[in-house]
Amino acid sequence: MTAVESVRWSADGGAVDIIDQRLLPGTLQRRELRTVDDVCDAILTLAVRGAPAIGVAGAMGLVVALAPHAGEERTPFLSRVDALGERIARVRPTAVNLSWATSRLRCVARATEGSSRDVLDALRAEATCILDEDRDMCRRIGEHGVALLPDDARVLTHCNAGALATGGIGTALAPVYLAAERGRRVAVFADETRPLLQGSRLTAWELAQAGIDVTVLADNMAASLMREGRVDLVIVGADRIAANGDVANKIGTYPLALAARHHAVPFYVAAPWSTFDPATATGHQIVIEHRAADELGRGFASPVSPQGVSVYNPAFDVTPAALVTAFVTDRGVLRPPYRFDLAGHAGDSAV
Ligand code: MRU
């Protein structure tokens, strides 16, 4: 089982302690985020990334950013909670977990009576709770998902929806970890995931660390692999799931879903309840983050596109619900017709 802890409190409790994912797979190095600038920069530059992990890091980061102001009067302190919470939530717009987690802390702040110190204590407890819940949700996703894996399963995944992307054992990779833990054979194909290579750098790294069979392929090879009959199922994570079941996830997920449908390969989306967003009606309303041009052409020893040409660099795409075989959630496996609206928001604990 993976021992990766992507986000945790620092030993002194005054910082968010993350694995700096920008340095993997070459270097495993932790980094302490002690200010709101540290937190925003780490989320923006993908030092910490993956929808659940940025939710957890955003919540813990808000606590860290507020700590030096705990002597303030209650009213300005509450305004500060809102302002810093909004600032952190704005850093990456697509993953609902980030705004969900910071909003959750802002609600707790308003509901907590007493001094700013009392509010800060309550926020620290809530952020810890979000981390613990995420760990539990990952495990439950794994429990529900492992039943979908045939013997000797050959699983294709995209981006990184593993331990590095969450507070626990991942979402898409959770069933894989549980299968391995139970002594079942499982092999994973990891799309490299252009342009930032979360698949080859991160998924391959954490699976190899755990001793799980992993093979990296370029994104444009996945359809051929399916055509050769070498993929039993696809499992990916999600950044936001709209009320109609449309799924925003890492760019390249949509073509994978199309290829899977063509080849009759089941296409599963694994996500905790915190990723379902009933406030967003369909995928059309999901804001897709566009990232810097130099991420596309400058990641190599020498530039691979001419200086100054326009670059299209959306970080995510939207896969229509119709292409999803089932959602693997911490509350069970949901198959069409979906009725997410009845389940309440992801943050609700009621099923
Ligand atoms: O830009 P990233 O690396 O944060 O994108 C991550 C993904 O798209 C993941 O698949 C998603 O957040 C789910 S992580 C459990």
Side-chain angles (χ1 to χ4, degrees), residues 229-278:
R230 295 173 61 190
V231 179
D232 295 315
L233 64 151
V234 177
I235 313 184
V236 297
D239 284 81
R240 190 183 295 251
I241 300 168
N244 72 340
D246 289 350
V247 176
N249 191 49
K250 178 52 54 195
I251 190 78
T253 301
Y254 175 40
L256 203 57
L258 288 169
R261 175 58 54 95
H262 183 77
H263 293 289
V265 171
F267 182 87
Y268 296 112
V269 174
W273 214 244
S274 51
T275 304
F276 288 80
D277 178 17

Side-chain angles (χ1 to χ4, degrees), residues 111-135:
T112 303
E113 290 176 4
S115 68
S116 54
R117 279 189 203 289
D118 297 324
V119 173
L120 187 68
D121 288 347
L123 294 183
R124 183 177 292 278
E126 190 69 11
T128 305
C129 182
I130 289 174
L131 171 61
D132 293 343
E133 279 175 14
D134 191 61
R135 189 176 299 133

Side-chain angles (χ1 to χ4, degrees), residues 49-52 92 159-161 165-166 171 198 237-239 249-250 316:
R49 49 143 299 282
R92 296 197 76 192
C159 194
N160 172 263
T166 65
T171 56
Q198 288 94 330
D239 284 81
N249 191 49
K250 178 52 54 195
F316 302 97

Side-chain angles (χ1 to χ4, degrees), residues 167 305 345:
S305 61
H345 185 256

